[in-house]
Amino acid sequence: MSSFRRRLGLSLLPLVTLVALWPVGRILHDSWEVVRLTGQMPEAPPGGFDWVHWVSEEGRIVAGYVFPGGPAARAGIQEGDVFYLLDFQQFFNLEDLKQAIDGQPPGSVHTYALFRDGNYLEVRVRFTRYPTFLYPLSPTLWQFSLWGFALGAFVHVLALLLLFPLARHGRRARFSLLLICVSALWFFSNLGRLLQVTFLGPPYPGGLQDRVFQLLTFTGLVGWIGFPALLLRQIVHDLRLHRPAFYHRIGHVPPLVLAAAVVLTTFHPGALPFTLEALIAPILFYVCCYVGLAAGLILLLGTGRSTTSESWNRSGSWLTLAFSVLLGLSVLDVVPLFGLVTDSMVGWVIVGAQLLALAPIGLVSLATLKLGKVDLVLERTLVYGTVLGAIFLAFVGGMSLMEPLLARMNTPWQVVGGLYVVLLLVFFERLAHWLRRELPAFFSTERQRTRQLLSHFQEQMTQLFSFEALARRTVEVVAEAFRVRSVRIFFRPDESLPWFSAAYHPEPPYLTERIVEAIWPHFREEGRIWARNPELSEARLPQELQALLESRHVALVIPIIAEQRPLGLLALGPRRNRHEFYNLEDLDLLRMLGGQLALAIERLYLVERERALIRQNAEAQLVALRAQINPHFLFNALNTIAALINEHPEKAEAVVEHLAAIFRHTLNTGGRSFVSLDEELQLVRHYLEIERARFGEKLSVAIEWPAELSTFPVPAFSVQTLAENAVKHGLEKLRTGGAVQIRARRLEDGLVEILVADTGAGIPWLWEQNGQPVEGPLPFFGLGLRNVMARLEQLYGRRDLLRFESAPGQGTRVRLLLPPVPQPEPTSPVN
């Protein structure tokens, strides 16, 4: 069935093309018959026009509408005047009068005899050219034409603003831009002619105004002829009917023939046996054929195809086809539509057909227009339209109020008007700034919601402290802000690091790290956005890589760039609603987000490097502490062993075993910042046993900890340092010795408390604190305590974990408070 439809579509192309030339062929045939009968080429002088719409009323010919500013109005003809004579010749039939007026050359002057309220009068009217495709038949029709073409021109301006930024990248956008430009020729030229006649009056032949009017007529007809050909060409291309080339190129013949006829009748009058006005019917019929054929091809072959032509729904296509067929048959007099209605109704139909031509152009370009900055263009248009309208009303109203005053003061209105305009521009320039700032608040759109979500996320970035959290939150926000089906992010702050990635609702087949490695060199080199839609794409990927991304359902790839150095990629799938498109505003927002992400990644990278340096510093301090402890232990232990080896060899052997256990522990812990509580207290026990061998019965030791805290992480050598300070600075100063008690327990707030208490000499500086616990760092700290305090702050981010209290005769109590789960040690970056 699809093959049959395709053959039928290919057959319709040459058939409709030939049919579109039928009116031109009929004109040429009639001219040939005249040449055959008379032996000479018929002359076709341009028709004249008096700018009066004559109507038949009760057997009389009456002026139904006299165009203001036209030659008849200037001569004095008014609506309601009854026609009597033209150049002293009487006409009783309205059609005969119209033919007589049309047969007079433009620029000629003719005498009208009229009756007004029973009074006879004569006026002389200078004829002009008939305004091709303009219909001054009633004030309503004229105003409708003026405002209709003004609105159409405004729509074209909006479309051009949307298409210009897109045309750099995609063929379809360039074609849509060409189609809109050609259509704009028709709309702007017609609007220019309407405004010229409205404000300056109809142009008389030979003057500059007439030449401008004729040039506008020519450019308008070029656009009127060109847009159906381009429209049909796009439909044929979308439906893949452009091969074989014969069927595609034969459609160029009618527009070229009509364009040549327009050129000759405009710039070489008399070269053809007919005037420009005779081309109205052939051009209108050609437009009907091509627009109707485009709609018919969509109905025949467009179902299920993914093209820009899918913007035409079936109802719209049927309506377009029906209207085109009806109007085309009326032009050929097959359907006597024009013969059954008045001239005014014919004018309404033709003007309506001209304005409705905007519909198929807009529908074909709609899918491309959605890719532009729609919200931004409409917002600015509303602002400037409001300001310009307000300026116009303020100027007209203000000058109207000042007119009586200026007349009494005999002041030149030009000077006052100029000053007034300057004041208005200053005031309304401020109004425009205010509107641009305040208007989005009144017209909150989906785009505004997206901006708010992204703005809030940018504030949240400073509160994310890991690459994983940043990646995960990014895909969630992007999916919500842009209503995307799936999002993937890959980045790495340094080429030597692995990829950090996150996904939101990934869909198979997945975008994997292997594929990212394949496409990364291109994005690293170009640093530009890639889009599945060519109108938006800035990057130029090889065809195989584009196909690879498309097979993974990727619609957009946004590079994350910092200081011209790409750090990663943000890949977006299609929108959740299949009728929604990404556009240039989305790309601007995503490009801005990519820049913010790059700053956040670099900030986290610097934080991670700082953490690594801190960790390295802590490890260096730990190594320094071990270097300090080991010689001290070794010196004291060797002295003890030397003193015991002769008298108590078994005790000397025990000291050697404890010393070996201490060094074994030091070697096993290596560069670890944390050890288990069980390991730490076993180290302390070995240390205190060596000290007991020195002190003998003068030193008593008690160490207690619950079994459930055996694996609790403790900063390495922290408790050992406290125990060493208790012996060295507390008990050694007393000849009587003393006791050291170490106890661990879990507090109600979840912290683990390790108490190191001694009955030594105490710390005089603490006696002044009235027995209240004091948090470090404190003035009496030596190298060991400063080291422990610094490591606690680095590892836990707190300075209140080490507390001291002492009283005269009661020794010293030190409490080490440890959070239940220490902050994870940062991973050192690979340099």
Side-chain angles (χ1 to χ4, degrees):
M1 186 63 179
S2 60
S3 176
F4 169 76
R5 290 181 177 181
R6 178 177 176 80
R7 289 196 300 270
L8 181 58
L10 288 172
S11 301
L12 286 175
L13 283 173
L15 178 62
V16 175
T17 298
L18 294 175
V19 172
L21 288 173
W22 175 257
V24 177
R26 191 166 61 181
I27 293 175
L28 294 176
H29 177 267
D30 294 341
S31 301
W32 169 251
E33 288 295 323
V34 172
V35 171
R36 189 174 61 84
L37 294 174
T38 62
Q40 59 183 0
M41 179 73 71
E43 296 183 0
F49 188 51
D50 58 2
W51 293 83
V52 178
H53 178 45
W54 299 100
V55 296
S56 180
E57 290 185 2
E58 299 177 356
R60 301 179 304 173
I61 301 176
V62 180
Y65 173 63
V66 181
F67 188 84
R74 294 174 185 173
I77 299 179
Q78 300 177 6
E79 294 182 17
D81 289 350
V82 179
F83 173 81
Y84 180 49
L85 299 173
L86 174 61
D87 290 335
F88 307 104
Q89 181 179 356
Q90 194 169 11
F91 293 89
F92 298 97
N93 184 277
L94 179 61
E95 292 302 321
D96 293 340
L97 174 62
K98 289 180 180 180
Q99 292 180 7
I101 293 173
D102 185 63
Q104 306 303 320
S108 59
V109 180
H110 302 275
T111 302
Y112 281 79
L114 308 167
F115 285 99
R116 181 184 302 160
D117 298 330
N119 299 318
Y120 176 83
L121 67 154
E122 291 183 0
V123 296
R124 294 177 61 81
V125 179
R126 184 181 179 188
F127 282 17
T128 69
R129 301 178 191 271
Y130 187 84
T132 307
F133 274 118
L134 297 184
Y135 300 93
L137 304 176
S138 69
T140 305
L141 178 57
W142 186 262
Q143 291 298 321
F144 174 78
S145 302
L146 183 62
W147 286 106
F149 277 98
L151 179 61
F154 175 73
V155 172
H156 278 79
V157 169
L158 292 182
L160 291 174
L161 290 175
L162 293 173
L163 287 171
F164 269 122
L166 298 169
R168 296 176 299 170
H169 306 296
R171 184 203 68 82
R172 182 172 295 171
R174 287 193 292 271
F175 180 83
S176 295
L177 179 63
L178 176 62
L179 182 62
I180 295 294
C181 287
V182 172
S183 175
L185 286 178
W186 170 245
F187 274 85
F188 281 103
S189 297
N190 251 16
L191 178 61
R193 294 197 301 156
L194 288 163
L195 292 174
Q196 180 179 347
V197 172
T198 299
F199 291 105
L200 302 179
Y204 291 109
L208 176 61
Q209 183 182 349
D210 181 59
R211 288 194 291 271
V212 172
F213 190 84
Q214 293 305 312
L215 180 61
L216 290 174
T217 302
F218 171 74
T219 56
L221 287 176
V222 169
W224 182 241
I225 294 170
F227 92 83
L230 292 174
L231 179 69
L232 182 61
R233 178 180 178 276
Q234 179 64 20
I235 299 299
V236 168
H237 183 276
D238 284 346
L239 298 179
R240 301 174 185 176
L241 294 175
H242 51 288
R243 290 186 177 86
F246 169 77
Y247 294 96
H248 174 51
R249 295 174 182 172
I250 194 173
H252 298 162
V253 176
L256 291 176
V257 171
L258 290 172
V262 169
V263 171
L264 291 175
T265 54
T266 301
F267 299 104
H268 299 282
L272 295 176
F274 50 83
T275 62
L276 185 62
E277 285 70 26
L279 291 174
I280 293 177
I283 293 175
L284 188 60
F285 182 74
Y286 148 77
V287 172
C288 293
C289 288
Y290 272 50
V291 173
L293 178 59
L297 291 176
I298 291 295
L299 291 171
L300 186 65
L301 299 171
T303 304
R305 291 190 179 274
S306 178
T307 66
T308 52
S309 307
E310 68 186 2
S311 301
W312 284 21
N313 56 38
R314 297 189 67 81
S315 299
S317 299
W318 277 115
L319 289 174
T320 303
L321 178 61
F323 183 81
S324 300
V325 171
L326 179 62
L327 189 60
L329 294 177
S330 300
V331 172
L332 295 179
D333 292 331
V334 176
V335 177
L337 178 62
F338 292 155
L340 299 176
V341 297
T342 63
D343 289 345
S344 294
M345 295 179 68
V346 171
W348 278 99
V349 171
I350 296 178
V351 171
Q354 296 172 23
L355 295 175
L356 286 175
L358 184 62
I361 297 172
L363 288 172
V364 168
S365 304
L366 185 60
T368 306
L369 292 172
K370 288 181 179 180
L371 304 175
K373 298 182 178 181
V374 182
D375 288 353
L376 182 61
V377 169
L378 292 179
E379 180 182 304
R380 291 184 177 178
T381 300
L382 185 58
V383 169
Y384 293 121
T386 302
V387 172
L388 292 176
I391 290 177
F392 176 77
L393 293 176
F395 177 77
V396 173
M399 293 303 296
S400 300
L401 293 175
M402 288 188 291
E403 186 176 0
L405 180 62
L406 294 176
R408 289 197 301 269
M409 297 176 60
N410 196 24
T411 303
W413 69 269
Q414 294 91 341
V415 177
V416 177
L419 293 175
Y420 184 47
V421 167
V422 172
L423 292 175
L424 288 178
L425 291 176
V426 172
F427 172 76
F428 283 104
E429 189 269 340
R430 297 181 179 272
L431 176 63
H433 282 293
W434 180 82
L435 284 174
R436 282 198 299 268
R437 186 178 65 253
E438 300 295 333
L439 199 62
F442 292 95
F443 299 95
S444 182
T445 62
E446 185 68 20
R447 192 75 54 208
Q448 190 70 15
R449 184 192 71 87
T450 302
R451 292 192 186 100
Q452 291 174 354
L453 288 173
L454 295 181
S455 177
H456 182 62
F457 175 54
Q458 290 170 16
E459 297 174 359
Q460 290 180 335
M461 285 183 184
T462 58
Q463 303 173 10
L464 300 174
F465 299 104
S466 68
F467 292 126
E468 293 80 3
L470 178 64
R472 183 173 62 254
R473 185 60 184 149
T474 298
V475 295
E476 292 172 354
V477 170
V478 170
E480 181 182 0
F482 295 93
R483 301 186 186 278
V484 185
R485 280 165 39 189
S486 62
V487 184
R488 291 297 301 264
I489 187 172
F490 295 86
F491 65 84
R492 54 187 179 189
D494 191 274
E495 291 288 342
S496 60
L497 295 179
W499 290 101
F500 293 92
S501 64
Y504 175 87
H505 289 179
E507 299 177 350
Y510 302 110
L511 180 65
T512 63
E513 190 173 308
R514 180 184 60 82
I515 297 176
V516 172
E517 287 286 359
I519 65 175
W520 177 242
H522 298 275
F523 284 98
R524 182 177 54 193
E525 180 179 350
E526 293 189 2
R528 297 178 179 178
I529 293 177
W530 176 84
R532 186 170 185 172
N533 195 308
E535 283 81 2
L536 299 178
S537 186
E538 300 172 357
R540 297 184 178 181
L541 292 182
Q543 192 64 37
E544 61 274 12
L545 294 183
Q546 293 191 47
L548 185 62
L549 288 174
E550 292 176 4
S551 68
R552 263 57 183 178
H553 309 298
V554 177
L556 275 180
V557 177
I558 312 296
I560 302 172
I561 302 176
E563 297 295 334
Q564 306 302 318
R565 182 174 66 92
L567 301 177
L569 301 173
L570 182 63
L572 281 68
R575 307 290 285 268
R576 296 175 193 170
N577 187 343
R578 65 184 184 89
H579 297 294
E580 293 182 356
F581 296 81
Y582 293 106
N583 59 27
L584 290 178
E585 290 182 79
D586 295 324
L587 263 62
D588 287 344
L589 293 174
L590 288 167
R591 188 180 286 110
M592 179 184 65
L593 176 62
Q596 295 294 329
L597 283 173
L599 293 176
I601 292 170
E602 289 193 324
R603 176 184 63 83
L604 285 176
Y605 184 51
L606 292 176
V607 170
E608 291 293 332
R609 291 190 56 143
E610 183 177 355
R611 287 177 178 171
L613 291 175
I614 290 174
R615 187 173 71 87
Q616 293 171 1
N617 182 44
E619 292 173 353
Q621 291 181 0
L622 183 60
V623 171
L625 178 62
R626 286 168 177 157
Q628 172 198 3
I629 292 172
N630 294 342
H632 182 73
F633 269 138
L634 183 60
F635 178 77
N636 288 327
L638 291 177
N639 284 337
T640 302
I641 293 170
L644 295 174
I645 197 168
N646 292 324
E647 298 180 4
H648 303 284
E650 70 283 355
K651 291 184 178 181
E653 184 179 356
V655 172
V656 171
E657 291 177 356
H658 289 302
L659 183 62
I662 291 174
F663 282 104
R664 189 180 304 111
H665 174 85
T666 303
L667 293 174
N668 289 339
T669 56
R672 289 159 54 191
S673 298
F674 290 93
V675 296
S676 68
L677 178 62
D678 185 74
E679 290 177 296
E680 181 72 9
L681 294 184
Q682 290 295 347
L683 171 67
V684 173
R685 187 185 298 278
H686 290 302
Y687 165 75
L688 291 177
E689 288 299 327
I690 294 176
E691 296 295 343
R692 284 186 63 190
R694 289 177 54 208
F695 283 88
E697 298 299 328
K698 294 181 180 180
L699 177 63
S700 63
V701 176
I703 303 177
E704 301 176 6
W705 73 93
E708 64 269 16
L709 294 180
S710 296
T711 59
F712 188 85
V714 178
F717 287 90
S718 57
V719 182
Q720 189 275 337
T721 303
L722 298 179
E724 181 181 358
N725 274 274
V727 174
K728 182 177 180 181
H729 300 290
L731 299 179
E732 278 188 356
K733 296 180 179 180
L734 298 178
R735 293 181 179 181
T736 58
V740 175
Q741 181 185 18
I742 300 175
R743 185 176 67 246
R745 62 178 182 138
R746 188 183 296 276
L747 303 179
E748 294 181 357
D749 58 3
L751 296 177
V752 169
E753 178 191 74
I754 302 176
L755 173 67
V756 179
D758 66 78
T759 60
I763 303 175
W765 188 90
L766 292 174
W767 297 348
E768 302 174 2
Q769 311 304 318
N770 299 321
Q772 298 297 321
V774 180
E775 300 172 1
L778 299 173
F780 56 82
F781 277 16
L783 178 61
L785 288 178
R786 285 199 301 268
N787 189 304
V788 172
M789 189 70 194
R791 287 195 294 129
L792 290 175
E793 184 176 354
Q794 292 165 0
L795 295 173
Y796 298 100
R798 294 176 60 175
R799 307 188 66 182
D800 59 343
L801 299 180
L802 198 58
R803 302 176 183 180
F804 296 81
E805 56 182 295
S806 180
Q810 298 181 9
T812 304
R813 296 168 63 87
V814 182
R815 285 182 171 84
L816 175 62
L817 303 177
L818 300 177
V821 179
Q823 182 177 335
E825 296 183 52
T827 302
S828 176
V830 180
N831 294 320

